[in-house]
Amino acid sequence: MVNLGVLSNNVNKSEKTIANEVIVVYPERWPDNYGYGYKKIILGKYNYARVEVIEILKRDINFRILKNPYIYVFDSGKYGRIGVAICADFFDIERFVIYKGKIQHLFIIAYNKDISAFYFLAEAISRLVFCNVVICNTGYYGGSIVFSPYNDHFKRYLYKHEGAGLFTAQTVKIPVKNLVIAQNSDEENEKLGDERFKYKPPGY
């Protein structure tokens, strides 16, 4: 869930601030034991789209836009390591230099009109970071995808939702174990046969 709103926990109560955030909710003892409780982490956006800044300042020129400079990796054990970015942060090249070799999945939470640009970027980042890329494009525009760097072209798009104003909820199977094998060794990747991935990028 993306939350764009005024924060209420600022030290300076007279200052009005605004942030674009995503809430990550997970079972309390996950992945070892699901249990009944849950925990949540709030992640903030760093790079705001120009139109986003314009719309915020239209509402109140006195807003200070908060930027979160942190880059997170969630270690989910056998399910792999996960990176998360919000919308325009998907264009942050430095983020992917840091993620390279450290994650199996990259999740992008977006509210984006230019869905074709995100499609092309998903394939490029999937190859350069060598990971699965999941884009959840919320709202009206469509454009949610799941892309994996398989060797066979027809396997790479594991899911693609295209069309404005369409509601969808989908469960998608994404590779973890075999991707880790491919990340660690080109020779072992070759042994995966039909399930093999592209070769690792230079400098991986």
Side-chain angles (χ1 to χ4, degrees), residues 23-34:
I23 301 174
V24 178
V25 180
Y26 59 97
E28 192 168 26
R29 291 187 293 277
W30 186 80
D32 300 319
N33 185 343
Y34 287 103

Side-chain angles (χ1 to χ4, degrees), residues 80-182:
R81 293 188 301 275
I82 303 167
V84 179
I86 304 175
C87 209
D89 284 341
F90 195 27
F91 291 95
D92 182 2
I93 296 174
E94 292 181 353
R95 180 180 299 266
F96 304 121
V97 174
I98 294 170
Y99 276 148
K100 188 176 182 179
K102 294 182 174 66
I103 61 173
Q104 283 74 52
H105 322 292
L106 177 62
F107 286 82
I108 310 299
I109 311 302
Y111 184 67
N112 173 50
K113 291 182 181 180
D114 191 359
I115 61 174
S116 61
F118 269 41
Y119 290 159
F120 298 136
L121 192 57
E123 181 164 0
I125 296 303
S126 177
R127 294 289 305 278
L128 293 173
V129 181
F130 203 53
C131 67
N132 301 307
V133 174
V134 179
I135 298 177
C136 179
N137 199 34
T138 62
Y140 179 80
Y141 305 107
S144 295
I145 64 168
V146 180
F147 189 94
S148 188
Y150 278 111
N151 186 62
D152 291 325
H153 182 269
F154 72 93
K155 290 183 178 179
R156 296 175 195 163
Y157 277 100
L158 303 179
Y159 172 76
K160 188 173 185 180
H161 168 65
E162 194 162 344
L166 302 178
F167 174 81
T168 182
Q170 185 67 44
T171 301
V172 181
K173 182 179 179 180
I174 56 178
V176 182
K177 180 180 178 180
N178 285 350
L179 179 58
V180 171
I181 290 172

Side-chain angles (χ1 to χ4, degrees), residues 59-84:
R59 290 174 169 82
D60 192 327
I61 194 68
N62 296 313
F63 272 135
R64 181 169 68 88
I65 300 172
L66 298 180
K67 294 186 174 185
N68 187 331
Y70 299 106
I71 296 174
Y72 297 87
V73 175
F74 295 92
D75 188 348
S76 58
K78 65 182 180 180
Y79 299 105
R81 293 188 301 275
I82 303 167
V84 179

Side-chain angles (χ1 to χ4, degrees), residues 4-6 16-19 50-65 111:
L4 181 61
V6 180
K16 292 188 291 187
T17 59
I18 193 166
R50 183 171 180 271
V51 66
E52 189 174 10
V53 173
I54 290 171
E55 289 300 318
I56 290 171
L57 297 181
K58 271 184 187 178
R59 290 174 169 82
D60 192 327
I61 194 68
N62 296 313
F63 272 135
R64 181 169 68 88
I65 300 172
Y111 184 67

